[in-house]
Amino acid sequence: MFRNQYDTDVTTWSPAGRLFQVEYAMEAVKQGSAAIGLRSKTHVVLGCVNKANSELSSYQKKIFKVDDHIGVAIAGLTADGRVLSRYMRSECINYSFTYESPLPVGRLVVQLADKAQVCTQRSWKRPYGVGLLVAGLDETGAHLYYNCPSGNYFEYQAFAIGSRSQAAKTYLERRFENFVDSSREDLIKDALMAIRETLQGETLTSSICTVAVVGAGESFHILDQETVQKLIDSFEIAGGEEAPAAAPDSAAEGGAAAEQSGATDQGAADQGPAPMDI
């Protein structure tokens, strides 16, 4: 995308009927580290890639708990995501205090979309540069929504956002028909597989991904690294069927090549610093 005479203000329309500032905000979501979500009848799983700016820094938190029955995963500007997650917590607390019942997931998503839409119609504001995957469970079942910076929202069976998310989407599109009747463990394994698709050769470990679960009889919580690593180990064993077994020597050579390729990809990714943490 390039600057033009119609992108200096969020309220200025181009002759083609486009709002460039809103499109730039949507582009910020694509630049953020990947986040994925998938749901069954009883559970919703969120996952994200932990990306640090350098080896000396820690990664930005990408998954937030909103209430016992709702959580969000973000891609884009982390600061904007924190502000919106704090707003969602406030809405849940107010609703619970007033009505003494949990806030329905769909209603919260609509309120969040309305808040994002206001920023596309005020010249003194800017759109939120973050996309949110909202996972929740209410009396109507499990839900997974995507909130866009433009103010649009969509409900999905499974979805992925952020950089390199297309590979995860391809995997989810092949498997989504099985998600409805999937167990909690199968859902988590599919989430880890989708996350691995976004790494492009980098080894999947619990230190570079975060997984959270909410479901029937289970409040929203983030799985600890030890539990995630055990699941990854079992997933790697199951994934061995996808490729033919190789001899020990060739397997060792292949592993070294994969590590070198992963390091190359990581180095290439580090060469393009973003102006803000996304």
Side-chain angles (χ1 to χ4, degrees):
M1 289 189 177
F2 301 95
R3 285 186 56 86
N4 58 67
Q5 59 182 324
Y6 301 107
D7 69 351
T8 57
D9 196 297
V10 73
T11 60
T12 301
W13 292 95
S14 74
R18 299 166 63 182
L19 293 172
F20 286 103
Q21 287 288 330
V22 177
E23 293 183 15
Y24 296 164
M26 296 168 67
E27 189 67 23
V29 177
K30 298 178 184 179
Q31 301 298 325
S33 57
I36 64 103
L38 54 162
R39 68 180 173 96
S40 65
K41 291 180 179 178
T42 57
H43 289 81
V44 189
V45 175
L46 295 177
C48 69
V49 176
N50 301 331
K51 184 174 69 174
N53 288 336
S54 70
E55 295 181 358
L56 301 177
S57 67
S58 62
Y59 60 86
Q60 291 281 351
K61 187 177 179 181
K62 298 287 185 179
I63 296 181
F64 302 95
K65 179 178 179 179
V66 175
D67 203 349
D68 287 339
H69 67 297
I70 298 177
V72 296
I74 66 172
L77 295 181
T78 311
D80 286 5
R82 288 199 307 268
V83 170
L84 291 177
S85 64
R86 192 181 309 121
Y87 165 78
M88 296 169 72
R89 288 193 198 103
S90 176
E91 292 299 312
C92 286
I93 292 172
N94 292 338
Y95 187 93
S96 178
F97 179 79
T98 304
Y99 300 102
E100 297 183 356
S101 63
L103 176 59
V105 183
R107 182 175 299 185
L108 177 62
V109 168
V110 171
Q111 292 175 340
L112 183 63
D114 290 342
K115 185 178 178 66
Q117 191 277 336
V118 170
C119 295
T120 68
Q121 211 172 1
R122 302 288 186 270
S123 61
W124 60 91
K125 293 185 178 182
R126 67 162 176 82
Y128 291 104
V130 64
L132 295 95
L133 290 176
V134 183
L137 185 76
D138 55 26
E139 57 186 11
T140 62
H143 300 280
L144 175 67
Y145 291 92
Y146 169 58
N147 276 78
C148 182
S150 64
N152 289 326
Y153 64 94
F154 309 91
E155 185 169 11
Y156 287 93
Q157 186 69 42
F159 197 55
I161 58 177
S163 61
R164 301 177 182 174
S165 60
Q166 186 56 50
K169 288 179 186 177
T170 302
Y171 172 80
L172 295 172
E173 288 169 358
R174 292 200 309 264
R175 300 271 301 171
F176 80 96
E177 293 180 352
N178 302 324
F179 293 160
V180 177
D181 299 317
S182 292
S183 65
R184 176 183 182 274
E185 288 71 23
D186 290 340
L187 213 59
I188 294 175
K189 288 181 180 179
D190 280 320
L192 291 171
M193 173 72 97
I195 291 174
R196 193 181 74 167
E197 293 294 319
T198 68
L199 299 179
Q200 295 186 350
E202 187 177 351
T203 304
L204 177 65
T205 63
S206 61
S207 62
I208 63 173
C209 69
T210 303
V211 178
V213 184
V214 62
E218 183 178 13
S219 61
F220 184 89
H221 66 285
I222 299 175
L223 302 181
D224 59 75
Q225 286 194 357
E226 184 177 345
T227 302
V228 173
Q229 189 60 52
K230 289 180 180 178
L231 291 167
I232 291 174
D233 293 338
S234 63
F235 156 75
E236 292 290 342
I237 295 173
E241 299 174 357
E242 297 179 0
D249 293 341
S250 61
E253 294 175 0
E259 291 178 3
Q260 184 177 359
S261 175
T264 303
D265 291 343
Q266 182 64 31
D270 289 342
Q271 289 176 2
M276 288 178 281
D277 291 338
I278 56 174

